[in-house]
Amino acid sequence: MIIKPRIRGFICVTAHPTGCAANVQEQIKVVRNRGPITNGPKRALVIGASMGYGLASRIACGFGSNAATVGVFFDRPASNGKTATAGWYNSVAFERAAHDKGLYARSIVGDAFSDELKAEVVKLIKQDLRTIDTFVYSLASPRRIHPRTGVIAKNFVKTIGDPFCSKALDTDKGKVTESRVEPATEEELQQTIEVMGGEDLEFWIEALETGGVLEPDATVLTYSYIGPEVTWPIYKNGTIGQAKEHLIRTTLSINDRLKRSGGRALVSVNKAEVTQSSSAIPVVPLYNSLLFRVMKEKGIHEGCIEQIDRLFRTKLYADTEVPVDEEGRIRIDDLEMRPDVQEEIVRRWPLVNSENLYTISDFGTYKAEFLKLFGFGLDGVDYEAEVDPEVNFDE
């Protein structure tokens, strides 16, 4: 079949297997071109490994440090004339590239929140790797079935306290609009924390430690985001931000425990990137479009893989002590939050409108990066050619 992008709101419901493979190869090339990551991971487990920061982390481990990797994600294969999800194609492409290089790479598809999947992962690690020295938790989900109670919680993108009205971006029409977000109820806030907070991370560490597969000096890594004040009502001070604060507190608590045996648990506050989940957050697509323009003009723009490679190469596994802020967090968003960058975005924010969107911001790059998530717009890929959507993991 000939596969074209079909976009519904902030989701592309098709994905291109050849394009996704090309996207993975582009990211691998970035890491390889920068040389080996000295003293990097050797045996890594990545939760949420199929897209975004999780995929970039797996690539940095595998192709920067020659690490054996286990990736966990919830994606579906092609069926009934429908394409697979982009994460499925990405993961198949990663495994094939890793195997071609002689690297161990296994993927487990399923509900990362479940106790059954955790047990399956522990069994695989014991069987094939014995232990892991790196655990990356990069999970984003619209809902969670609690493994102990069976209660379903949903992820709500809402404010806390008051409604929030601001400029937004209709990415389908390419127009600057107004957005109003209603405040969450206490129940919606608690459900969001259930989904995106730190409890599942705690359950994963418990399963790995109980199973005897977490090295005493292991590195545990989680990801968060803060961003500028213009996004705070809907992110930092909203339901998602509160869930992330819970994740951060959990990570730092785990760090206090792990450091007794030489291990560590760290939070990296990352730069704004185009991801499937962030595309659904009002204000963020418009902010990202302005950010990309300003950072490109200053020659400091980074994509997801460049940022994670820099995190591993210059922060986590450098010969110096890991630099953290006053709250114990790594700030790999340092370039985004530079005063000169943020001052310029603040200057442009009241000026941007539908007429000057493509000149005052970089909405073109935003759209291109969004399509790349699903394997579209990659150089060297013939999108008019017939392609088999059924791509599966090698036995």
Side-chain angles (χ1 to χ4, degrees):
M1 60 190 294
I2 296 175
I3 303 173
K4 299 292 184 179
R6 290 171 50 209
I7 299 173
R8 294 177 183 169
F10 57 88
I11 296 175
C12 186
V13 298
T14 55
H16 198 286
T18 310
C20 286
N23 189 17
V24 170
Q25 284 296 332
E26 277 192 5
Q27 295 182 63
I28 291 172
K29 184 177 180 181
V30 169
V31 175
R32 280 179 163 171
N33 285 348
R34 295 182 178 183
I37 298 174
T38 306
N39 300 319
K42 297 306 175 190
R43 298 174 306 282
L45 169 62
V46 182
I47 310 300
S50 64
M51 293 185 77
Y53 289 124
L55 176 61
S57 300
R58 196 177 187 190
I59 290 171
C61 289
F63 292 90
S65 300
N66 291 325
T69 62
V70 176
V72 175
F73 47 88
F74 189 74
D75 281 279
R76 59 169 176 75
S79 65
N80 300 321
K82 295 181 180 179
T83 70
T85 58
W88 179 276
Y89 291 141
N90 290 340
S91 299
V92 170
F94 173 88
E95 276 206 11
R96 290 179 177 177
H99 293 162
D100 286 346
K101 196 185 177 188
L103 297 175
Y104 175 94
R106 287 287 300 276
S107 297
I108 295 182
V109 183
D111 179 8
F113 295 128
S114 74
D115 288 339
E116 292 77 14
L117 186 135
K118 291 178 176 68
E120 183 181 351
V121 170
V122 168
K123 181 180 179 180
L124 176 65
I125 293 171
K126 279 185 173 180
Q127 172 185 299
D128 291 1
L129 303 178
R130 191 177 65 83
T131 60
I132 58 168
D133 57 45
T134 303
F135 175 71
V136 180
Y137 189 83
S138 180
L139 191 59
S141 175
R143 69 173 200 156
R144 176 191 181 207
I145 302 175
H146 197 284
R148 314 286 163 86
T149 67
V151 173
I152 298 175
K154 296 181 180 180
N155 184 1
F156 293 89
V157 181
K158 290 192 173 185
T159 64
I160 295 174
D162 298 312
F164 175 55
C165 298
S166 179
K167 282 186 175 181
L169 180 57
D170 184 328
T171 54
D172 287 342
K173 298 178 181 179
K175 291 185 177 181
V176 176
T177 61
E178 293 291 326
S179 174
R180 177 185 171 93
V181 181
E182 298 299 324
T185 64
E186 182 61 28
E187 173 64 20
E188 289 170 337
L189 171 60
Q190 292 307 314
Q191 284 197 42
T192 304
I193 293 173
E194 284 278 325
V195 178
M196 297 289 288
E199 185 182 51
D200 184 60
L201 171 66
E202 190 73 66
F203 287 173
W204 267 105
I205 299 301
E206 175 187 293
L208 296 171
E209 289 183 324
T210 302
V213 298
L214 189 68
E215 285 284 341
D217 61 349
T219 294
V220 172
L221 179 65
T222 64
Y223 294 133
S224 188
Y225 180 68
I226 296 175
E229 289 190 27
V230 69
T231 67
W232 282 5
I234 193 61
Y235 199 98
K236 178 177 178 291
N237 297 334
T239 52
I240 299 177
Q242 294 304 299
K244 286 292 187 180
E245 281 299 314
H246 188 275
L247 176 65
I248 290 171
R249 290 195 300 271
T250 304
T251 304
L252 297 179
S253 175
I254 292 169
N255 182 62
D256 290 338
R257 187 168 78 246
L258 293 183
K259 67 183 181 183
R260 299 169 194 159
S261 62
R264 58 185 183 172
L266 297 161
V267 179
S268 175
V269 177
N270 295 350
K271 166 184 172 285
E273 296 287 357
V274 180
T275 65
Q276 185 169 330
S277 55
S278 71
S279 300
I281 304 173
V283 179
V284 170
L286 182 58
Y287 168 75
N288 279 355
S289 297
L290 288 167
L291 176 69
F292 295 169
R293 170 72 71 178
V294 173
M295 292 189 75
K296 280 185 175 182
E297 289 173 356
K298 295 180 180 297
I300 56 173
H301 179 66
E302 289 178 316
C304 198
I305 188 62
E306 289 85 3
Q307 183 181 178
I308 296 304
D309 179 86
R310 182 164 68 93
L311 169 65
F312 278 56
R313 195 178 297 274
T314 69
K315 309 288 186 182
L316 282 178
Y317 299 104
D319 291 333
T320 57
E321 185 177 349
V322 177
V324 295
D325 65 12
E326 64 281 359
E327 297 185 38
R329 306 165 301 190
I330 302 171
R331 299 301 298 267
I332 205 70
D333 65 342
D334 49 352
L335 300 181
E336 173 187 357
M337 299 310 295
R338 264 179 30 178
D340 60 322
V341 171
Q342 290 303 317
E343 288 167 6
E344 182 59 21
I345 292 174
V346 168
R347 187 188 72 81
R348 297 187 189 197
W349 186 263
L351 303 177
V352 65
N353 55 47
S354 299
E355 285 67 41
N356 63 17
L357 179 63
Y358 282 89
T359 56
I360 200 172
S361 81
D362 200 354
F363 181 50
T365 291
Y366 178 90
K367 289 198 300 181
E369 290 299 316
F370 178 81
L371 288 173
K372 280 180 68 174
L373 293 175
F374 303 93
F376 297 104
L378 277 296
D379 291 339
V381 177
D382 183 358
Y383 291 100
E384 301 302 323
E386 295 274 351
V387 62
D388 186 353
E390 295 192 14
V391 176
N392 294 302
F393 292 92
D394 298 331
E395 295 295 330

